Amino acid sequence: MQVLKTTPRADGFRLPAEWEPHAQTWMVWPIRPDNWRLNAVPAQVAFAAVAKAIARFEGVTVCASEAELSNARAMLNHANIRVIEIATDDAWARDTGPTFVTNNQGEVRGIDWEFNAWGGLNGGLYWPWKNDDAVAKIILEIENVPRYRTDGFVLEGGSIHVDGEGTIITTEECLLNKNRNPHMSREAIEEMLRNYLNIEKVIWLPHGLFNDETDGHVDNFCCYVKPGEVLLAWTDDKNDPNSSRCHAAMQVLETTRDAKGRKFIVHKMPIPGPLYATADECAGVAPVAGTQLRDPSVRLAGSYVNFLIVNRGIIAPSFGDPKDADAEAILKKVFPQHEVVMVPGREILLGGGNIHCITQQQPQQQPAAATVLAK
Ligand code: KQY
């Protein structure tokens, strides 16, 4: 299928909010022994639990390598889960999968951002990343969805959250990082976001969560629950390195209005822990030069904000932490129309992210007539 030479904005497409209806969710099966301990076996159990939790609400497609196809199919045996073969470098569908955009006729297209493994040779997390950079293209070909490609512009899906009504939230720590698009100014980056996501206003939080391997992805720190209303990871502990980050974000959210002129309602979401990997957990990782250090002294960037909204459900991580119950109660309060399902997230966190990072929703293609009637 031809790559489109225009932009989503020029063509009348926009990034819908995550709570708009999904056709399905995409995931990638973990295998890297230098990122996932014990040859990724515990991570595979965790990913399978996430896939099965999502599958209660909508279909899931999991991309697995040729060597893992039969194991993945056995572990993901569920009527609502499809396993297909795609070669990948790691397992972060949020960042390597396409960002799907829709128009008022209910058509779907996909953005294939350039991917450089969260920083390329300047602090990125692995090399090579060629297979991962090809994932979005392959998914769009499989789904027969037209593709936009941003050669020369690097972006990961986990670094953005939108309300579907013209506002995007992101972080300076990530999008302005010299290891993403060093040739571009803040204004030029905003222009790309405007043209590709069809937004009107960019809310820049200074940082993401402390020690986030992605250089502060917003999806591990702050997310929308509805237009004008967000959840922000929060600590009251002034000695926590997240404290200044939380306060800086709150200051921006309290003093900024969104594209529709709304003031933000901010719900504080407690940060679990502090969480650290155990010596045993670290020993299970087969380190390779240049990949992320796994050591019990390194604070993990655990966050309850890293959840996925699915059709009528919320799939959120638990950590075996006393704050799990508070997090679940907050999610139930802010999403009264959704069923909140907590799934163990520690093994995913040990690999550097969580449920939102390993999933990518594909919006439902609406028949044109139905869209017109709904207006
Ligand atoms: O959280 C994400 N979106 C990706 C994390 C990558 C970590 C690789 N070790």
Side-chain angles (χ1 to χ4, degrees):
M1 185 173 275
Q2 281 294 340
V3 57
L4 297 158
K5 296 292 180 215
T6 50
T7 64
R9 186 180 182 97
D11 298 340
F13 284 76
R14 69 173 177 110
L15 176 55
E18 200 166 299
W19 51 79
E20 294 184 45
H22 297 181
Q24 62 172 330
T25 286
W26 289 82
M27 295 177 66
V28 178
W29 193 240
I31 45 172
R32 277 189 90 92
D34 58 348
N35 192 60
W36 305 103
R37 71 191 183 107
L38 306 174
N39 285 318
V41 174
Q44 292 176 354
V45 171
F47 275 53
V50 171
K52 287 178 181 171
I54 298 169
R56 287 187 45 218
F57 301 92
E58 61 192 50
V60 183
T61 299
V62 181
C63 311
S65 67
E66 185 185 2
E68 273 292 315
L69 211 48
S70 39
N71 176 44
R73 289 208 168 118
M75 289 183 71
L76 294 164
N77 186 15
H78 188 289
N80 232 3
I81 303 180
R82 162 178 79 151
V83 181
I84 62 167
E85 185 196 326
I86 299 186
T88 65
D89 298 304
D90 203 356
W92 307 95
R94 176 65 47 190
D95 298 338
T96 61
T99 299
F100 290 95
V101 289
T102 54
N103 70 1
N104 284 342
Q105 283 69 51
E107 296 169 302
V108 176
R109 293 183 178 175
I111 306 170
D112 171 9
W113 309 102
E114 185 174 329
F115 175 79
N116 74 353
W118 309 276
L121 300 180
N122 180 15
L125 298 177
Y126 48 76
W127 178 90
W129 54 81
K130 188 168 55 72
N131 288 328
D132 273 353
D133 192 27
V135 168
K137 177 175 189 278
I138 296 169
I139 287 176
L140 294 169
E141 281 170 359
I142 289 169
E143 293 294 302
N144 204 20
V145 166
R147 176 172 70 104
Y148 300 96
R149 167 71 181 181
T150 67
D151 275 319
F153 182 75
V154 170
L155 187 125
E156 302 99 37
S159 68
I160 53 171
H161 262 312
V162 298
D163 67 354
E165 296 189 359
T167 306
I168 185 173
I169 304 183
T170 188
T171 66
E172 294 174 346
E173 181 183 356
C174 183
L175 260 64
L176 303 186
N177 198 301
K178 289 288 173 241
N179 63 16
R180 298 310 207 281
N181 297 292
H183 55 295
M184 292 175 78
S185 64
R186 176 195 296 259
E187 292 70 30
I189 290 170
E190 285 199 0
E191 191 60 15
M192 279 298 286
L193 299 175
R194 191 168 293 116
N195 286 334
Y196 278 81
L197 304 173
N198 209 347
I199 49 85
E200 305 301 330
K201 180 147 188 182
V202 184
I203 311 277
W204 291 98
L205 306 182
H207 312 281
L209 212 61
F210 173 70
N211 254 1
D212 189 316
E213 294 176 23
T214 63
D215 303 310
H217 271 190
V218 76
D219 73 344
N220 205 31
F221 188 53
C222 180
C223 69
Y224 272 106
V225 301
K226 62 167 75 133
E229 205 166 322
V230 297
L231 277 168
L232 175 65
W234 191 261
T235 178
D236 284 320
D237 179 358
K238 291 195 171 41
N239 296 317
D240 188 317
N242 281 307
S243 176
S244 57
R245 293 165 177 258
C246 297
H247 282 275
M250 185 64 91
Q251 161 80 10
V252 171
L253 292 166
E254 280 177 347
T255 56
T256 313
R257 292 183 184 247
D258 71 9
K260 299 257 188 231
R262 284 178 288 241
K263 285 188 75 166
F264 282 99
I265 297 170
V266 184
H267 303 275
K268 293 177 180 173
M269 175 61 93
I271 293 171
L275 301 175
Y276 297 86
T278 64
D280 242 24
E281 288 168 337
C282 295
V285 179
V288 165
T291 54
Q292 191 70 18
L293 170 71
R294 301 290 176 210
D295 188 272
S297 65
V298 177
R299 170 89 178 261
L300 298 170
S303 171
Y304 297 110
V305 166
N306 206 315
F307 60 84
L308 177 71
I309 306 175
V310 293
N311 296 334
R312 301 182 313 281
I314 302 295
I315 314 298
S318 61
F319 298 99
D321 185 276
K323 296 185 193 113
D324 285 0
D326 299 339
E328 185 173 1
I330 292 169
L331 289 170
K332 284 181 171 161
K333 190 182 97 193
V334 299
F335 289 109
Q337 309 298 334
H338 290 72
E339 182 184 341
V340 175
V341 181
M342 305 293 283
V343 180
R346 183 172 175 90
E347 288 296 336
I348 312 171
L349 174 62
L350 292 175
N354 231 297
I355 293 172
H356 197 258
C357 309
I358 64 167
T359 53
Q360 179 63 257
Q361 72 281 355
Q362 177 175 344
Q364 206 164 69
Q365 182 128 7
Q366 312 274 2
T371 312
V372 171
L373 285 175
K375 273 189 175 172

